[in-house]
Amino acid sequence: TQIDGGNEITAQSVVTSTDTQTLYAHFTPEIYTITYNNLEGGFHSNPIMYTIEDAITLLDGIRVGYTFEGWYTDDRFTSEIIQSIPVNSQGNKIFYAKWSENQYKVIFHSNDENNLLMEQEFTYIKEQKLKENEFSREGYTFKGWSKDSTSESPEFLDEQKVSALTSENNGIIHLYAVWEVKEYSIRYENMEGVENAHDNPTSFTALNNTITL
């Protein structure tokens, strides 16, 4: 019965007044749904409903190990990328998320005085072997790889299968060779009954290869 507020008059209302009455139509915006498909474990922070009065800017989806490439209106991604729902839009909406798998690089360090490098490309999900070690170090045995250049224990063995070492697109993982020093034995021959000095060493390594007998 008023432009704003007033009493609601419906088909069931009983009017007893004989005076002229002015009635005002009131409208409530219809609510439409928004459905987001192909999330594949990802998520988003967009609204799931809207009305003709709303103007919505669509936010990117987020998925670990993947880069979001846009919202589309079809699951073959042939439509234009949908970035917003403008005011005065109507109807339920269905959007499909498009993703590309992130790629990263592993850089292998010889972790010795030569500081040699090898590289290998990976994608986030695909499991593949680490490149076979090509480094050698005189007086040392290769044990494996570690993300810590000072570690004495490897995190990964040679040619170990790995995946998802980082979720960052175009990220870089540094792996450092872990070396174990070799120990060589010393044997004294032709002693002919002579007792060897008690302090003569019976072994040596690359770290103590200067010996005084």
Side-chain angles (χ1 to χ4, degrees):
T1 57
Q2 297 179 16
I3 294 179
D4 294 315
N7 297 319
E8 181 180 8
I9 306 299
T10 69
Q12 286 74 40
S13 299
V14 178
V15 179
T16 58
S17 174
T18 58
D19 296 335
T20 301
Q21 301 290 324
T22 301
L23 301 180
Y24 301 89
H26 287 191
F27 295 93
T28 300
E30 186 172 354
I31 297 175
Y32 302 107
T33 61
I34 310 173
T35 303
Y36 303 88
N37 289 335
N38 199 42
L39 293 176
E40 299 289 339
F43 63 94
H44 65 89
S45 301
N46 291 307
I48 59 173
M49 295 182 292
Y50 81 101
T51 72
I52 196 171
E53 298 177 351
D54 297 325
I56 298 172
T57 299
L58 295 176
L59 303 176
D60 289 353
I62 298 174
R63 183 182 175 192
V64 174
Y66 290 79
T67 296
F68 179 74
E69 294 193 344
W71 296 109
Y72 290 78
T73 58
D74 67 294
D75 59 4
R76 294 179 179 272
F77 313 115
T78 59
S79 73
E80 294 183 355
I81 294 177
I82 306 301
Q83 297 179 323
S84 64
I85 301 175
V87 69
N88 294 324
S89 295
Q90 300 179 59
N92 297 329
K93 305 290 185 184
I94 299 178
F95 299 131
Y96 297 84
K98 184 178 181 181
W99 309 96
S100 62
E101 188 176 355
N102 288 347
Q103 297 182 337
Y104 62 94
K105 179 191 297 184
V106 172
I107 298 179
F108 302 89
H109 299 257
S110 64
N111 201 23
D112 59 6
E113 57 279 358
N114 296 316
N115 195 29
L116 302 176
L117 303 177
M118 299 189 304
E119 294 185 1
Q120 187 177 6
E121 299 287 340
F122 288 81
T123 54
Y124 178 68
I125 287 295
K126 182 180 179 181
E127 184 180 61
Q128 65 185 88
K129 288 183 177 181
L130 292 173
K131 181 179 289 190
E132 182 180 6
N133 174 48
E134 298 177 1
F135 304 134
S136 61
R137 188 179 183 186
E138 187 175 359
Y140 290 81
T141 299
F142 174 76
K143 295 180 64 178
W145 306 100
S146 174
K147 295 178 182 178
D148 181 0
S149 63
T150 63
S151 176
E152 296 181 357
S153 300
E155 298 176 57
F156 308 99
L157 300 179
D158 197 19
E159 296 188 275
Q160 180 174 326
K161 287 185 176 181
V162 298
S163 66
L165 294 182
T166 177
S167 61
E168 180 185 356
N169 194 31
N170 297 319
I172 297 177
I173 296 294
H174 294 274
L175 295 183
Y176 298 87
V178 178
W179 301 102
E180 181 177 54
V181 64
K182 292 180 179 179
E183 185 173 6
Y184 301 95
S185 61
I186 302 175
R187 186 172 61 184
Y188 299 89
E189 298 181 344
N190 200 31
M191 298 295 293
E192 296 185 357
V194 177
E195 184 178 352
N196 193 10
H198 71 277
D199 57 351
N200 277 342
T202 58
S203 65
F204 71 97
T205 70
L207 299 178
N208 61 346
N209 56 7
T210 301
I211 299 172
T212 301
L213 299 176

